[in-house]
């Protein structure tokens, strides 16, 4: 079954600290893996997209890693800020032949991050 | 660019009522889609469109209709609202729905069906 599991469900950290969010998936065949940030009451915003051949991708203080062999990804946030408080969603795209067929995205449940002063 | 816009932001319906959730994008994207987000679950695809005049069903299409008469607009219609359709609805778009493309999401419509 195609699934994306994220851990932890929620996390509280102090401002300035680092944290790492985890994502395990069983989606096959694999196309790419995405991390989104969703602020409360807003739509998800893309942080990174990684393909099979990419191990690491950074976007400012956000660094995503991908191990396609173990089907695991992580999102590391450095020097957290209050504005990092949000839900972080891991999404895996399933590969289809004839790509423009609605390409199936499998969404994780998200990790709720709260950064406290 | 306004990006992806959705209206209304919040709506309360009674069981059996119908309504249309509006979605528009000004990025000339061919691919548009509708998702619902429920507590404890990942976003689920309702319907999608790969271009004007072309729509198809996603994972959870029952109770919803869509049409795509223009590139810009992709409305979602609830035919006869049920409490199970209480959810937050997101519209998203990307250039052509290609594998590596970023999807841009709207701000969402929060729907409560009583």
């Amino acid at each position: 079954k195609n699934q994306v599991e994220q851990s932890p469900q929620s996390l509280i950290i102090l401002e300035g600290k680092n944290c790492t969010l985890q994502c395990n998936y069983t989606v096959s065949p694999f196309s790419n893996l995405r991390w989104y940030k969703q602020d409360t009451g807003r739509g998800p915003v893309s942080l990174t997209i990684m393909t099979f051949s990419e191990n690491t991708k950074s976007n400012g203080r956000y660094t995503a890693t991908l191990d396609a062999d173990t089907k695991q990804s992580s999102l590391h946030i450095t020097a957290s800020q209050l504005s990092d408080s949000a839900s972080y969603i891991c999404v895996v795209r399933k590969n289809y032949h004839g790509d423009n067929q609605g390409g199936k995205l499998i969404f994780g449940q998200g990790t709720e991050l709260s950064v406290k002063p | 660019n306004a990006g992806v816009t959705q209206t209304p932001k919040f709506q309360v319906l009674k069981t059996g009522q119908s309504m249309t959730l509006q979605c528009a994008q000004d990025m000339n994207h061919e691919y548009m889609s509708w998702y619902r987000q429920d507590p404890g679950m990942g976003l689920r695809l309702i319907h999608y469109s790969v271009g004007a005049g072309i729509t198809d069903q996603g994972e959870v299409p029952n109770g919803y209709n869509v049409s795509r008469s223009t590139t810009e607009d992709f409305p979602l219609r609830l035919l006869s609202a049920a409490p199970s359709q209480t959810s937050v609805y997101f519209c998203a778009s990307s250039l052509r729905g290609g594998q590596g493309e970023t999807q841009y999401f709207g701000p969402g419509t929060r729907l409560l069906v009583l």
Side-chain angles (χ1 to χ4, degrees):
Chain A
K1 187 176 179 183
N2 294 302
Q3 285 187 313
V4 176
E5 301 285 346
Q6 292 186 243
S7 62
Q9 272 193 320
S10 62
L11 182 62
I12 300 173
I13 61 173
L14 292 176
E15 187 179 13
K17 298 296 185 183
N18 303 336
C19 69
T20 300
L21 314 181
Q22 301 291 344
C23 173
N24 295 341
Y25 62 93
T26 58
V27 178
S28 181
F30 174 87
S31 175
N32 57 59
L33 185 144
R34 304 148 182 246
W35 283 95
Y36 284 86
K37 178 187 179 189
Q38 184 176 20
D39 293 316
T40 301
R42 310 289 280 270
V45 175
S46 180
L47 294 175
T48 62
I49 300 176
M50 287 187 294
T51 61
F52 185 88
S53 59
E54 294 175 296
N55 299 118
T56 303
K57 203 155 198 178
S58 292
N59 179 356
R61 294 179 297 101
Y62 300 102
T63 299
T65 65
L66 173 64
D67 186 335
D69 291 331
T70 62
K71 297 188 177 181
Q72 295 180 326
S73 176
S74 65
L75 181 69
H76 185 75
I77 304 174
T78 304
S80 60
Q81 300 176 357
L82 298 179
S83 59
D84 292 331
S85 294
S87 178
Y88 291 84
I89 303 173
C90 177
V91 185
V92 177
R93 175 152 178 160
K94 189 169 179 172
N95 196 15
Y96 280 102
H97 291 299
D99 185 67
N100 291 346
Q101 299 299 314
K104 186 168 176 64
L105 296 177
I106 315 291
F107 287 78
Q109 297 173 307
T111 291
E112 197 72 36
L113 174 66
S114 180
V115 180
K116 301 293 188 185
Chain B
N1 286 352
V4 180
T5 58
Q6 292 183 239
T7 57
K9 288 186 178 176
F10 182 70
Q11 183 73 44
V12 179
L13 289 179
K14 294 181 180 178
T15 297
Q17 287 185 316
S18 62
M19 78 160 294
T20 299
L21 281 64
Q22 302 291 344
C23 173
Q25 52 85 17
D26 61 358
M27 298 175 281
N28 204 30
H29 285 174
E30 294 290 336
Y31 182 82
M32 296 185 73
S33 54
W34 277 101
Y35 292 90
R36 60 178 289 171
Q37 186 175 40
D38 300 298
M41 301 181 71
L43 276 77
R44 292 180 292 168
L45 182 65
I46 304 172
H47 286 286
Y48 66 94
S49 168
V50 297
I54 307 169
T55 64
D56 207 344
Q57 296 181 349
E59 186 183 354
V60 288
N62 292 342
Y64 307 95
N65 270 0
V66 292
S67 59
R68 184 94 179 272
S69 55
T70 68
T71 299
E72 294 78 20
D73 301 298
F74 190 42
L76 178 72
R77 279 182 286 278
L78 279 70
L79 308 173
S80 177
S84 61
Q85 294 179 304
T86 293
S87 187
V88 182
Y89 292 85
F90 289 100
C91 180
S93 75
S94 67
L95 188 60
R96 282 185 296 276
Q99 294 202 35
E101 291 176 5
T102 297
Q103 281 219 0
Y104 296 87
F105 285 83
T109 293
R110 187 173 295 272
L111 177 67
L112 175 62
V113 182
L114 301 175

